[in-house]
Amino acid sequence: GFEGPLAFKVAQTLIDFEISSIPFQAFVEIERDGERVMLARIGYTGEYGYKVFAPVNVASSLWNELYEKVKAVKGGLCGNDALEIAMLEVRQPLQTRETRDLDVRSAGLEWLIDFGKEAYIGKESIDALMREKVGQQIVGFTAPKSATIMHNDRIMVEDQEIGKVVIARY
């Protein structure tokens, strides 16, 4: 996967049509060395993002080629920690960790729902949920480097616990 303000330029080299025609959260099938490869448009950090799904026999050479193209636009490698920090900056929750056991509203994901649609599966439940008061929410925060914050630490205001740390990144 690759993501960032110039990721679309790298992705464009894989297809022979305008990259902007791929809708967000959609994919296209391309051919690479006679193999079927999928190019998906994602975007976890508020920037353009793409993931490539390829069979193992073409994945390594394709990865090397894409990495050279990423470097050509002054990009580089980063790990999941960097991606998660960038997601925090745009308040994109980590669904596998932060939203576990939360409803869509408490998780802050209601912006993903098209409330203008007349009917969809779960519409009555979502409408009822939107009328309720939110009991808990996910909140991102930063702290000084000197702070030692760990997963599951309690968050206190005066003597009252108001939450817990779900994920912590340096």
Side-chain angles (χ1 to χ4, degrees):
F2 47 99
E3 188 148 344
L6 300 178
F8 75 96
K9 289 186 176 193
V10 175
Q12 183 65 69
T13 67
L14 297 173
I15 57 175
D16 59 1
F17 56 90
E18 176 57 40
I19 191 72
S20 64
S21 68
I22 301 175
F24 179 60
Q25 295 185 337
F27 65 90
V28 295
E29 184 177 312
I30 57 178
E31 187 176 309
R32 189 57 172 227
D33 299 330
E35 296 284 355
R36 189 174 98 172
V37 173
M38 306 303 281
L39 172 66
R41 180 172 170 214
I42 53 150
Y44 298 119
T45 65
E47 299 284 359
Y48 290 102
Y50 301 89
K51 284 197 184 270
V52 179
F53 302 89
V56 70
N57 59 316
V58 297
S60 181
S61 63
L62 184 55
W63 188 96
N64 289 327
E65 176 188 324
L66 290 172
Y67 181 49
E68 290 303 316
K69 292 175 181 179
V70 165
K71 289 191 305 188
V73 294
K74 308 255 189 283
L77 296 177
C78 73
N80 283 337
D81 284 357
L83 179 62
E84 290 175 0
I85 290 167
M87 291 171 70
L88 172 64
E89 290 175 348
V90 295
R91 206 44 233 132
Q92 175 77 346
L94 301 170
Q95 284 85 4
T96 58
R97 296 187 207 176
E98 293 182 65
T99 61
R100 186 173 287 139
D101 301 324
L102 296 180
D103 61 60
V104 70
R105 189 146 179 234
S106 295
L109 297 173
E110 66 271 19
W111 62 275
L112 294 169
I113 299 171
D114 180 0
F115 290 101
K117 287 177 77 172
E118 290 184 29
Y120 53 87
I121 295 172
K123 180 174 177 32
E124 291 174 10
S125 296
I126 292 293
D127 287 346
L129 183 65
M130 296 306 290
R131 288 189 294 270
E132 294 177 13
K133 183 178 177 183
V134 177
Q136 64 180 19
Q137 288 185 293
I138 299 171
V139 177
F141 66 92
T142 60
K145 283 184 179 181
S146 60
T148 303
I149 299 173
M150 305 294 288
H151 175 74
N152 279 332
D153 279 356
R154 297 180 305 153
I155 300 172
M156 308 290 290
V157 172
E158 296 178 0
D159 291 334
Q160 183 179 2
E161 182 177 337
I162 62 166
K164 69 176 184 171
V165 174
V166 178
I167 187 169
R169 290 287 177 257
Y170 172 73

